[in-house]
Amino acid sequence: MGGLIIKEAYMQGQNDPKYESIIKAITAITFIATPHRGTNLAELLDRILRSTFVTNSKHYISELAKNSFTLQKLNEQFRHIAPRLDIVSFYETQPTSIALKSARVMILEKDSSVLGYPGETSKALNADHHNVCKYDSPTDPNYITVRNALKSLVSKIISTSRSNKPPLSNPRESQDLKSLLAITELPDIDYIFFWDQWAQGTNDWFLEEKHYLEWLHVRDSAPFLLWLNGGAATGKSVLSSFIINSLMEQGVSCQYFFIRVGDRKKRTLSLLLRSIAYQIARSVPGFLQRVLQLVDEAIDFETADPRTIWERIFKSILFNMEAGQPLYWIIDGLDEADDPRALIRLLSDISLSSIPIRVLLVGRTTSELVAIFQKVPKVLNLSLISIEGHLEDLRCYLHQELSMYGTAEYYESIVQRIVRAAQNNFLWVRLAVDKLNLCHTQADVELALQQLPVGMEALYDRMASSIAQNPSATDRALASNILQSVTCSLRVLTVVELSQALHEDTSKMLDFQRSIVDICGGFVVIDNGGNVAMIHQTAREYLLSGNDRPFHVDRDAAHKQVFLSCMRCLMAIGLRATVKGNQKPEFLDYAASSWSSHLTSIPLDCGHAFEVLNKFLTGHWVLTWIQVVATSKQLRVLIQASKNLSKYSAKQKEYDTARNRKDHQIMKQELVKSWAEDFVKIVGKFGTVLRRNPESIYKLIPPFCPQNSAIYQQFGKIKDKSLLVSGLSTGNWDDSLARMSFGFGTYASSISAAGAQIAILFSSGSVVLYDSSVFEEAESSPIKHGERVYRMEMNSAGTLLAPYGYLTTKIWEISTGKCKTSVENIESRPRPLAMLLTNNSTMLLVGTDDRRIRSLNLNETPPTWQLVGELEEPELEGHFLNSSNYMALNKDGRLIAVAYRGHPLSAWETDGPVHIGHCWRKREEVARGEVIEAVWHPHYPEVLGLYIEGVVFKWRPYDGENDEITTGASRLAISRDGNLFATGDVRGTVKVYITSDFCLLYQLASEDTVLGLVFSPDLHRFYDIRGHYGNAWEPNALMRFAEQRGKGIESGSETESLGQSSTASESWSWRIDSITVLAGSPIGRLYCCGTEKGTVRLHDTQRGKLADLHVSKSFLSIEQMSWSNDGRYVCFSDSSKRVIIMSITPSAGNLDPLVETKAEIPMNNSTNGPILQFLFHPNSSQLLVRSSSTIRTISLISSSVTLSLELHTAGSKWVTHPHDPALIVGVGPNAIHILDWGLVERQTYRFECPRYQSMPLNPESFQDQNVVDRVLVTHDKKHVFVQISPLNQNSKEKTFLYFETSSWSTATAVTPGIDQEIGAIAIIPFLLPRNLSSQVALALSFLSRDNLIFLSIAIFFSFDIPFHEHSHRYKVFNNPPRSSSQ
């Protein structure tokens, strides 16, 4: 028990600061006969204790039962922190006397005393359980064994402390690394599974193999790759675990991965690379820090193309680190991988690494692998080792596992007979031993040997017959259900998951784990972690191969069973409450992530499954499922479900159409199709909200969805206590995620996206930065270069911006908006055609139109331009060589493509530089073409370019191959992984193609010329600019394509490549007339909005749009709008400063109100600057019009300007006096002016610092630096709340003040227009604390009891402000998600 208590204490101490020093001091633990996995004698021990007078039964004895839940949980938790420790486990080898001397039993078997963790050292002691820690003398062999182990540990600790080895990652860094690399399961689970099957003394031959020793001891001539091959079931995976353990014991840096055909994710190259990277980072701190920096680049590594993972993590980071200790990679199950050829292709690069890397690949000898290894580059010096023919391992295994009494000669003869019949098949031997260990006489042994079939096929037949011939129908049915679940599940299930999937009441079974093994004929095994797996992949293949077996598994029926099990779990009564209480069933994770994949494998004639699916989609269960996947941070499950539902719906529709199914069946199909679209759109539109608040799916998200969507139809319509959203601009989902409006008169010239930033360059030289998650301007935006800018470049993390201007090139830090470096450009003023931040953002490369490449070393102070190379292009006969008009650098700056107007495109190596070749057109009549855009493929020496007539070409300079496709495009962009490229044209059309075969994946028809294109780093979106606005698009096709690339190409009929589709996804987006101003009537349900193109629309909150009040013939944008207090009038102005006043008279019933134009007053000549505010007199007789320098009043009776007053304080807002409607109050950044409607000033107040908290800025400069955004009066009119924003757009921090209106006296009148500081009275406002003000984006209104409603970027809040106490409380209201329709 002591060892178990130590494990628990060590784990609890991890999170208790009180024991931090003790925990840090522990580097190793030695376990002596510790029951890590319990013992079968726990019940016996309990009985002995109860039979004595010394003690009573102990509760903890039951928890020592073999593989009890308590022990499994303890081991699972300890496994995650064990890698920090050196662990030595000793186990007993002698039976222990119990009561009578003649009764001897093994208290603890080896598999219970040994944890089986990577790097653990296990040693046998020749003792029983009583004497395992008792030694006769210093010469006792057991004492010497334990002493030597302790001595070795102490020596290692001393050696490590002297070497000053950097510490491993802390728990926070480890969690961040898991999140970045999407690691959900540590690889040691598979290692432990196979290591538990290893027998002492086997596999020792491998450590003496010549090729292994050469591979292990790194030399220049040593092999980089070692292929360990053999037949099926020959013990390769167990040997892999043995090699891993050997390397761990030697203290070398070893990483490993077991490819498991039974787990779809573990067959993918993506997970393999991410797992290897995670393990390296855990042992190499320098690498860890570099990898964690990739979080700024916003790459979705779970869905990223494997080549991108290899290039970005391994080639860019690992290969360039300082040379250190070698890395050893063990990859088992190569023949079971989705694409072994792609893996070998990537590993061909390891010879380029500065850190020595050695890779051991383990797999069956298949014709495919033989062909692949024949093409391995010679530089890798491939070596082969065969596992075949090592019969000594079989003999060793038999001597340990075969329990048979008799003479030594008889025992040895049985061993030899088994070895001869085994055909080098470890699995066959293992199953044979299980049979023979049940024999009691020599006759039984002989009969068993004669009945043992030769070869695995025959043995599987025998095992299948044992199931089919089971006399119990209940057992046969249970065996069938278990094998259906185990063979067709997408990953290994635990015992608990399996029991819930089968809906079995295990409490009625004596031992469910034992029942699983016994009734399944030996086809399944349960490891020490409680995972139920097939005994071997060949067993799965046997059961699924056909119905001519004694017993077989019907694949279709199996997928149907698992699908129905998933549905039963997801539709369980009370699931939502269970999830909320963090007590979700174990099978829920599998059910939530896998139900749609099983659905696609169910036969189309299975009406029951279709009905269950419809029941799921029409009930609240679908929302609970979305909550579950959002809570587990697995929203991409919705994307996969969308893809699977779309595929299932299309096939079901085709099936039903051929059979003339009824209309109600078609309606159900449409429901499935509708939800398929909803799932992917929910992720795109509301993913950020769902991750933060998973429960928002119930009431907050559905109302914001289009009215024709399934989620809105079922859950978004008005209900009690739910959110009502009216006036959505579209009834169906569209691909528009957001629109970025720059305003008329601005012109965007280029766009770039990196990390979390979208950068847009304007012709004025400013760069506006948007946050790609919420599409709001960044705090540092805009970046003002101060001159005309030709080109800009961001680094891959989106942390640095480099604009190249006419006179200077500057480096800006995006997070702060500060200029880090400014360098004068070359005197000849060459124009930049290509820019690249490289060498970990320490070097800026620039290619210019004078055919030169220059660099800036940003580590120098100050940096200066250095000539990298001059491209001395030879002029070809018949062509005119002029200045280059376009250049493209590849991602590491080693290659450059140069385009000319009168000369073919040319490719160069920048080191030298060395000319590679020219690109010639495929058609003969024109040998060249003018290239207007070009980009390099991120991973290959391949150029993707665009000719001026709209032809896209793909050119490989080193071999001269060239492909072309006509697109009619004028703009070109390539995705970060190179798998996709997009084109835009003058008609507003964007097309997305698959790079490899020019297959059209998606096209979007919109309006206005596409002037720039770029993909998002996660490849789910693309952004474009179209003059005065830009768009963010998130098509379903891109999200599904990215998801498919991350999962790899799945086998069988379960998925199809999107690239194989004969028709591309199409979308149409109408031109958007952006809303510029919005105002609601103080009474009733009416509101108005004005647009960018000069339209004013009248709406009813329940009936929607009623009428267009005004349509500008000149497309002049509407800039200001206001309603009168009684709701009788609405006024607005356009960009020409024309003021229009209209009367609105409500009609009875549902008739439209009567609308009449009251007045149109041009004010362009009488007003300096734009109109900034309207304010109606409380009796609607006058209208106040404020500009930047004046205020004027308009009489609604005469429809003319009556009074005017020059302002000396800019940036103020005007409201009616809370206590006297005959007065108006102007609130400025540091002063308050009270006037009457005759514009006679009554009083002026100046701000002083608050009594309990200092103002954030100097009051003297406050006026010049800030502007008032909002002035709100409380319902009781005792207080006024003021929102103030800085004029400096590099600062987004707002200030919130509130005043007591009782201090605003109006008795004294002063002369209009006099200096405002004369007679000013000082008042002290109250300042809203920074912890509250930092949450406010825009103050909206006051409700009763001083509740302030405001909008926040994160959530929708209400502050409860007891002004008289000057304390603050707040509560959360409904959280409206962000939507492109808002």
Side-chain angles (χ1 to χ4, degrees), residues 730-765:
T730 176
N732 299 298
W733 293 108
D734 57 36
D735 292 336
S736 174
L737 186 62
R739 175 179 168 129
M740 299 164 282
S741 296
F742 315 136
F744 281 120
T746 57
Y747 184 86
S749 57
S750 69
I751 183 171
S752 179
Q757 304 294 333
I758 304 170
I760 299 173
L761 174 64
F762 293 90
S763 54
S764 63

Side-chain angles (χ1 to χ4, degrees), residues 747 749-750 761-763 787-792 803-809 825-836 844-854 865 871 883-889 896-901 932 971:
Y747 184 86
S749 57
S750 69
L761 174 64
F762 293 90
S763 54
E787 58 177 309
R788 181 181 180 184
V789 174
Y790 292 118
R791 200 175 189 89
M792 68 173 177
Y804 188 109
Y806 177 71
L807 296 174
T808 60
T809 297
N825 291 336
I826 303 298
E827 291 184 5
S828 59
R829 303 287 183 256
R831 291 171 61 94
L833 302 179
M835 297 176 65
L836 178 69
L844 175 64
L845 288 179
V846 179
T848 53
D849 61 357
D850 58 358
R851 301 203 298 268
R852 288 178 172 86
I853 306 170
R854 297 177 176 88
W865 290 106
L871 308 177
S883 297
S884 52
N885 69 313
Y886 200 90
M887 287 182 174
L889 286 159
I896 188 169
V898 187
Y900 308 89
R901 288 184 175 85
I932 58 174
R971 289 293 181 266

Side-chain angles (χ1 to χ4, degrees), residues 494-627:
T494 66
V495 173
V496 178
E497 287 177 328
L498 180 61
S499 66
Q500 294 177 359
L502 299 177
H503 208 51
E504 289 289 336
D505 185 4
T506 57
S507 62
K508 297 180 180 180
M509 296 185 179
L510 298 177
D511 189 340
F512 182 58
Q513 292 193 23
R514 179 180 174 183
S515 298
I516 293 174
V517 176
D518 288 350
I519 68 175
C520 290
F523 278 105
V524 299
V525 292
I526 301 176
D527 64 18
N528 289 321
N531 299 302
V532 185
M534 297 301 297
I535 193 169
H536 195 266
Q537 171 57 18
T538 55
R540 176 184 280 103
E541 294 169 355
Y542 170 89
L543 290 174
L544 294 172
S545 60
N547 54 12
D548 57 343
R549 311 290 190 186
F551 175 87
H552 79 286
V553 172
D554 184 303
R555 189 187 299 268
D556 293 342
H559 281 291
K560 175 185 174 182
Q561 174 189 304
V562 181
F563 168 75
L564 295 177
S565 297
C566 293
M567 288 290 101
R568 185 170 55 246
C569 178
L570 294 172
M571 297 166 69
I573 297 175
L575 179 62
R576 181 181 176 184
T578 303
V579 172
K580 188 175 182 180
N582 199 25
Q583 297 177 340
K584 60 183 181 181
E586 285 78 358
F587 185 60
L588 180 61
D589 286 339
Y590 182 89
S593 62
S594 305
W595 67 266
S596 67
S597 296
H598 290 291
L599 175 67
T600 59
S601 297
I602 297 176
L604 297 175
D605 59 358
C606 181
H608 178 54
F610 184 71
E611 292 300 323
V612 171
L613 174 65
N614 271 268
K615 182 180 179 181
F616 171 70
L617 295 177
T618 53
H620 65 276
W621 304 290
V622 66
L623 299 185
T624 305
W625 167 65
I626 295 175
Q627 179 196 358

Side-chain angles (χ1 to χ4, degrees), residues 206-207 209-228 240 243-244 246-247 250 252-255 326-331 350 356-362 380-385:
F206 186 83
L207 302 181
E209 278 284 327
K210 175 185 175 182
H211 291 311
Y212 171 72
L213 294 174
E214 292 175 346
W215 175 86
L216 180 63
H217 302 103
V218 176
R219 301 184 184 89
D220 292 340
S221 60
F224 289 86
L225 288 185
L226 189 60
W227 180 25
L228 174 61
S240 295
I243 298 169
I244 293 168
S246 174
L247 293 172
Q250 296 179 55
V252 302
S253 183
C254 173
Q255 295 79 41
L327 302 178
Y328 295 90
W329 300 351
I330 314 297
I331 300 174
I350 62 174
I357 299 176
R358 298 295 182 263
V359 183
L360 173 62
L361 300 166
V362 185
L380 297 182
N381 198 13
L382 172 68
S383 293
L384 280 68
I385 298 178

Side-chain angles (χ1 to χ4, degrees), residues 929-1055:
E930 183 179 341
V931 176
I932 58 174
E933 287 211 45
V935 289
W936 287 90
H937 192 286
H939 305 320
Y940 310 114
E942 179 177 275
V943 178
L944 195 69
L946 177 64
Y947 290 116
I948 193 170
E949 65 267 33
V951 174
V952 174
F953 66 91
K954 182 169 56 178
W955 174 47
R956 290 165 285 282
Y958 285 101
D959 56 26
E961 293 186 16
N962 191 355
D963 296 318
E964 294 183 2
I965 180 175
T966 301
T967 64
S970 58
R971 289 293 181 266
L972 177 70
I974 193 168
S975 64
R976 187 167 188 160
D977 62 1
N979 288 321
L980 301 174
F981 71 89
T983 64
D985 61 30
V986 295
R987 296 176 298 277
T989 301
V990 177
K991 298 178 181 179
V992 179
Y993 295 85
I994 298 175
T995 309
S996 59
D997 56 7
F998 284 166
C999 178
L1000 182 62
L1001 178 68
Y1002 169 82
Q1003 66 178 10
L1004 164 76
S1006 188
E1007 298 186 2
D1008 295 324
T1009 301
V1010 179
L1011 301 175
L1013 269 175
V1014 66
F1015 282 92
S1016 65
D1018 64 3
L1019 312 184
H1020 291 174
R1021 309 170 182 169
F1022 62 84
Y1023 311 113
D1024 65 32
I1025 51 174
R1026 303 176 185 237
H1028 64 279
Y1029 68 95
N1031 297 298
W1033 307 99
E1034 191 167 58
N1036 298 355
L1038 260 65
M1039 299 182 72
R1040 290 171 179 166
F1041 184 84
E1043 185 70 17
Q1044 175 181 295
R1045 297 296 302 183
K1047 290 182 176 296
I1049 304 300
E1050 300 162 1
S1051 60
S1053 61
E1054 302 205 5
T1055 190

Side-chain angles (χ1 to χ4, degrees), residues 1173-1230:
Q1173 184 188 0
F1174 293 125
L1175 178 66
F1176 277 96
H1177 191 284
N1179 63 12
S1180 302
S1181 62
Q1182 298 182 71
L1183 173 68
L1184 182 142
V1185 181
R1186 178 178 72 90
S1187 67
S1188 57
S1189 59
T1190 61
I1191 54 174
R1192 289 177 167 80
T1193 57
I1194 296 176
S1195 170
L1196 268 69
I1197 299 174
S1198 64
S1199 299
S1200 61
V1201 176
T1202 56
L1203 296 171
S1204 176
L1205 178 68
E1206 294 291 325
L1207 292 176
H1208 295 275
T1209 302
S1212 58
K1213 281 277 187 181
W1214 293 83
V1215 296
T1216 304
H1217 194 288
H1219 302 302
D1220 189 348
L1223 302 177
I1224 55 176
V1225 180
V1227 182
N1230 68 341

